[in-house]
């Protein structure tokens, strides 16, 4: 089992080792994002909103974890469609569980690398230390990764069904989640009906929790617990949906039609 | 015709039917393939060859019928079967942004081989693409790519090899080399092959048995020489054209020879 999982991990390692574009994906965009927001926060600081500054920087970095996590697993599968390798993988004895595990491992590694880099840059440029979030940071990050996978399972299922036509979703879905998750502002600024939806998303609790820690120094474990609980629900639903979709893909013979696209 | 001294069937298809909506892509196929045999699946475009192979690989779930590969049911033992067979086609390729070596290492691990160095070297030599080992897969010519796909397909020393138009993009010289490589491995290992091709000369040369499909039905089967004799065609190629144009006329030819097809 581990041999097959490591095979897929290796496959993405080989891919990233050589591709400038893909290394950019890990470093360039997140760094640019951080810089832009960092300077916005500097400006806001001049307007004397010191807490907001911390919040925004924390948000930028944490949002990136969720975003990369979702992208990580969806892009990995899309990559196999692009290079017409998906059938080769499907006729090898790897199980879907092994494939997903491998992709998640790759996702964790990529997210960790990005987070560490952004963390250092934030410290260097803006004197903001992620570690101010305290030991709860690991739980915050973990919940975001999990939610990214949950969402990723849904988007991946759609890619199996609709092939490259669904690619827009990979980029679109996170931006559907972002405004509702209260990433850059407290939930309370949302209209009441949207707040209800916001509280259905595990990410909302993470960003609310982060602001609370930065403001008061207290980590609210119960909030993280709710987030984790919701994550389990989404992961379960995502897995069921993905599985159902794979069965349909086999019934409809979608994988056999790929060369026609 | 050669005698493989064995009639253990490694592939048993009974009443295989696949419908896509209203289209019946496979209509009640029943056939067996014995260990060590090379079976050619022939027929015009859209006859159902690819669909049949993909059903046998578990990529497509049949509407009805049963598929047993190596004595196991594909629906229940897919992964077990997949570890003992392999597949290569002109329509799939290995990731273009990895080198030849990296791709083969990744796939040998997927097939559970810890140290595959020797095997990879042997296969690259056999298909005469040893010099490409450190090149990016995307930079290979189509002939080299086809042979790389075949190397991948031999990594796990398969008992059955499924090939979908393996020589489609090759010039005659390379195609001949590929056939030679395939034959050599086939003789050494007692390998069973099921493959599709539009090259009738190749089929006559390679196959112990052929099955002609038209519109999802078996219209003829037997050894190439038998079939030519039976159909009174001058060659397999003429027969192919006749079937492609008037497939329905041939449906009776094999009627007496096959097991009746049970409806489910
Ligand atoms: N996934 C699919 N959905 C709908 N129709 C399909 C699908 N796959 C194949 N077909 C149809 O089934 C028939 C057989 O196709 P195929 O097996 O690819 O033929 P061949 O390989 O012999 O050229 C064709 O009419 C094709 O259009
Ligand atoms: Mg075909």
């Amino acid at each position: 089992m581990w041999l097959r999982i490591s095979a897929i991990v290796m496959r993405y390692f080989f891919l990233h080792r050589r591709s400038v574009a893909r290394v950019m994906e890990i470093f360039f965009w997140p760094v640019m994002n951080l810089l832009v927001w960092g300077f916005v926060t500097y400006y806001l600081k001049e307007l004397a909103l010191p807490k907001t500054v911390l919040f925004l920087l924390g948000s930028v970095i944490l949002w990136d974890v969720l975003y990369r996590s979702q992208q990580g697993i969806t892009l990995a599968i899309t990559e196999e469609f692009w290079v017409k390798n998906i059938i080769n993988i499907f006729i090898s004895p790897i199980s879907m569980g092994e494939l997903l595990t491998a992709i998640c491992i790759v996702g964790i590694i990529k997210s960790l690398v990005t987070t560490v880099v952004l963390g250092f840059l934030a410290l260097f440029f803006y004197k903001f230390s992620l570690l101010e979030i305290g030991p709860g940071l690991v739980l915050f990050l973990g919940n975001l990764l999990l939610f990214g996978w949950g969402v990723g399972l849904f988007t991946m299922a759609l890619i199996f069904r609709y092939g490259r036509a669904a690619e827009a979703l990979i980029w679109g879905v996170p931006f559907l989640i972002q405004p509702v998750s209260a990433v850059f502002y407290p939930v309370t600024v949302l209209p009441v009906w949207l707040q209800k939806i916001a509280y259905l998303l595990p990410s909302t609790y993470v960003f609310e929790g982060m602001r609370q820690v930065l403001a008061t120094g207290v980590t609210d474990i119960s909030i993280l617990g709710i987030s984790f609980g919701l994550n389990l629900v989404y992961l379960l639903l995502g897995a069921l949906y993905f599985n159902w979709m794979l069965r349909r893909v086999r019934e409809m013979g979608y994988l056999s039609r790929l060369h026609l696209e | 015709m050669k005698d493989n001294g064995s009639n253990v069937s490694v592939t048993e298809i009974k009443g295989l039917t696949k419908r896509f909506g209203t289209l019946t892509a496979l209509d009640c196929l029943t056939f067996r393939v014995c260990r060590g045999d090379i079976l050619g699946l022939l027929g015009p475009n859209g006859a159902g060859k690819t669909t049949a192979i993909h059903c046998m690989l578990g990529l497509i779930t049949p509407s009805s019928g049963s598929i047993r590969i190596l004595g196991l049911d594909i629906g229940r033992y897919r992964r077990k079967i997949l570890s003992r067979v392999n597949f290569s086609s002109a329509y799939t390729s290995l990731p273009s942004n990895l080198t030849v070596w990296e791709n083969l290492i990744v796939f040998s691990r997927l097939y559970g081989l810890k140290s595959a160095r020797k095997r990879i070297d042997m296969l690259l030599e056999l298909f005469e693409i040893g010099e490409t080992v450190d090149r990016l897969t995307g930079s290979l010519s189509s002939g080299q790519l086809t042979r790389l796909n075949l190397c991948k397909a031999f990594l796990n020393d398969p008992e059955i090899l499924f090939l979908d138009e393996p020589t489609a993009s090759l010039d005659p010289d390379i195609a001949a080399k590929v056939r030679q490589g395939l034959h050599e491995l086939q003789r050494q290992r007692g390998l069973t092959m099921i493959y599709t091709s539009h090259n009738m000369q190749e089929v006559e040369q390679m196959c112990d048995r052929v099955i002609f499909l038209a519109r999802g039905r078996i219209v003829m089967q037997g050894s190439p020489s038998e079939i030519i004799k039976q159909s009174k065609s001058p060659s397999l190629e003429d027969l192919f054209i006749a079937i492609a144009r008037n497939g329905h006329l041939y449906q009776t030819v094999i009627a007496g020879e096959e097991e009746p097809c049970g409806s489910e």
Side-chain angles (χ1 to χ4, degrees):
Chain A
M1 183 179 100
W2 283 108
L3 200 60
R4 287 189 293 266
I5 292 176
S6 70
I8 299 290
V9 174
M10 266 170 86
R11 181 242 183 286
Y12 291 107
F13 171 71
F14 288 145
L15 175 64
H16 283 82
R17 187 171 65 175
R18 198 166 299 106
S19 164
V20 179
R22 271 166 255 263
V23 174
M24 298 273 277
E25 172 206 309
I26 302 182
F27 295 112
F28 185 74
W29 303 118
V31 168
M32 280 312 169
N33 222 2
L34 181 76
L35 290 180
V36 169
W37 281 96
F39 289 117
V40 170
T41 57
Y42 251 50
Y43 168 65
L44 290 176
K45 208 177 200 169
E46 284 172 10
L47 301 178
L49 295 164
K51 284 287 181 214
T52 319
V53 173
L54 291 184
F55 296 166
L56 281 180
L57 283 171
S59 295
V60 170
I61 298 176
L62 289 194
W63 168 253
D64 202 79
V65 173
L66 172 57
Y67 183 68
R68 294 295 140 204
S69 162
Q70 184 267 152
Q71 297 273 294
I73 73 175
T74 328
L75 280 178
I77 285 295
T78 321
E79 174 83 28
E80 306 303 359
F81 278 90
W82 276 334
V83 299
K84 296 199 251 162
N85 188 37
I86 193 82
I87 286 190
N88 286 325
I89 292 184
F90 264 65
I91 61 115
S92 80
I94 196 169
S95 71
M96 276 308 116
E98 289 164 352
L99 183 62
L100 292 178
T101 307
I103 290 175
C104 287
I105 291 174
V106 175
I108 292 178
I109 296 171
K110 281 165 80 167
S111 293
L112 269 182
V113 171
T114 312
T115 309
V116 169
V117 170
L118 291 188
F120 273 113
L121 285 179
L123 191 62
F124 183 72
F125 279 110
Y126 312 115
K127 312 268 175 309
F128 168 75
S129 167
L130 258 189
L131 298 178
E132 275 181 51
I133 295 179
L137 179 63
V138 178
L139 301 177
F140 284 113
L141 293 179
N143 269 318
L144 290 172
L145 279 175
L146 288 180
F147 188 44
W149 295 343
V151 177
L153 279 173
F154 280 100
T155 28
M156 199 155 59
L158 292 170
I159 286 170
F160 272 106
R161 166 64 184 82
Y162 296 103
R164 304 184 64 168
E167 269 168 38
L169 280 174
I170 310 172
W171 312 100
V173 168
F175 290 100
L176 208 65
I177 294 170
Q178 194 181 44
V180 192
S181 292
V183 179
F184 297 111
Y185 37 75
V187 184
T188 46
V189 305
L190 294 172
V192 178
W193 64 273
L194 252 189
Q195 287 187 25
K196 290 195 182 121
I197 299 178
Y199 283 122
L200 292 175
L201 302 178
S203 42
T204 307
Y205 299 89
V206 172
F207 291 106
E208 289 283 288
M210 177 207 71
R211 278 186 289 269
Q212 193 185 353
V213 181
L214 291 178
T216 66
V218 181
T219 311
D220 188 345
I221 292 292
S222 69
I223 248 185
L224 284 167
I226 298 174
S227 178
F228 184 65
L230 281 172
N231 266 326
L232 291 186
V233 173
Y234 283 105
L235 278 172
L236 185 70
L237 289 178
L240 288 174
Y241 183 64
F242 183 72
N243 221 355
W244 175 82
M245 192 59 99
L246 274 188
R247 242 198 342 268
R248 273 198 56 76
V249 163
R250 289 203 156 95
E251 270 160 22
M252 307 296 286
Y254 291 132
L255 293 178
S256 314
R257 310 233 77 187
L258 290 177
H259 65 275
L260 300 175
E261 277 192 9
Chain B
M1 226 190 123
K2 68 173 183 283
D3 179 18
N4 295 297
S6 149
N7 53 7
V8 182
S9 62
V10 287
T11 302
E12 256 188 293
I13 311 291
K14 279 198 191 122
L16 173 61
T17 300
K18 180 64 195 175
R19 283 179 223 97
F20 294 113
T22 54
L23 176 99
T24 304
L26 297 177
D27 193 357
C28 210
L29 303 194
T30 297
F31 62 90
R32 300 177 344 136
V33 186
C34 295
R35 188 176 292 282
D37 267 359
I38 304 184
L39 171 76
L41 278 178
L42 311 184
N45 289 324
K49 306 178 298 288
T50 300
T51 306
I53 287 187
H54 284 189
C55 284
M56 292 186 258
L57 289 165
L59 289 169
I60 297 180
T61 315
S63 306
S64 63
S66 85
I67 300 177
R68 294 179 77 79
I69 310 282
L70 298 165
L72 302 168
D73 181 76
I74 186 75
R76 287 188 57 196
Y77 297 100
R78 189 175 65 234
R79 290 178 55 208
K80 215 173 209 156
I81 294 170
L82 289 179
S83 68
R84 294 168 61 189
V85 307
N86 216 317
F87 169 70
S88 163
S89 139
Y91 300 116
T92 64
S93 42
L94 295 169
S96 51
N97 32 29
L98 266 58
T99 66
V100 167
W101 176 256
E102 288 167 347
N103 267 322
L104 291 174
I105 282 287
V106 166
F107 274 90
S108 53
R109 291 176 84 96
L110 279 178
Y111 283 99
L113 274 70
K114 270 214 184 80
S115 57
R117 179 174 291 267
K118 260 198 190 146
R119 181 148 188 90
I120 292 175
D121 283 340
M122 184 276 279
L123 290 169
L124 287 172
E125 283 315 311
L126 186 77
F127 287 107
E128 299 182 23
I129 49 170
E131 76 285 358
T132 64
V133 65
D134 290 321
R135 279 176 49 195
L136 277 184
T137 303
S139 74
L140 302 189
S141 70
S142 65
Q144 290 168 328
L145 278 178
T146 308
R147 285 176 283 165
L148 173 58
N149 279 337
L150 286 171
C151 287
K152 179 235 111 185
F154 277 103
L155 281 174
N156 62 332
D157 197 5
E159 290 167 64
I160 307 177
L161 183 61
F162 296 89
L163 299 169
D164 199 358
E165 301 186 30
T167 53
S169 59
L170 302 182
D171 70 46
D173 171 45
I174 306 282
K177 277 187 184 154
V178 165
R179 279 198 294 275
Q180 205 183 336
L182 285 174
H183 246 141
E184 185 156 334
L185 285 163
Q186 196 262 345
R187 266 195 301 270
Q188 279 173 18
R189 318 290 317 171
L191 170 74
T192 309
M193 284 202 271
I194 298 181
Y195 92 95
T196 73
S197 170
H198 286 307
N199 181 338
M200 292 304 125
Q201 275 174 319
E202 174 175 311
V203 168
E204 277 191 68
Q205 189 189 337
M206 293 277 290
C207 296
D208 304 301
R209 220 154 60 82
V210 299
I211 289 181
F212 261 109
L213 291 178
R215 295 194 205 120
R217 288 170 167 247
I218 297 180
V219 294
M220 233 180 221
Q221 60 177 315
S223 74
S225 53
E226 262 168 37
I227 282 200
I228 292 173
K229 217 185 308 160
Q230 198 179 20
S231 67
K232 303 191 181 67
S233 295
S235 72
L236 217 50
E237 186 133 0
D238 291 294
L239 179 60
F240 182 97
I241 293 169
I243 288 179
R245 293 186 184 156
N246 310 292
H248 54 282
L249 297 181
Y250 288 83
Q251 269 165 32
T252 50
V253 174
I254 49 131
E257 198 179 299
E258 265 307 300
E259 299 165 43
C261 180
S263 56
E264 265 174 59

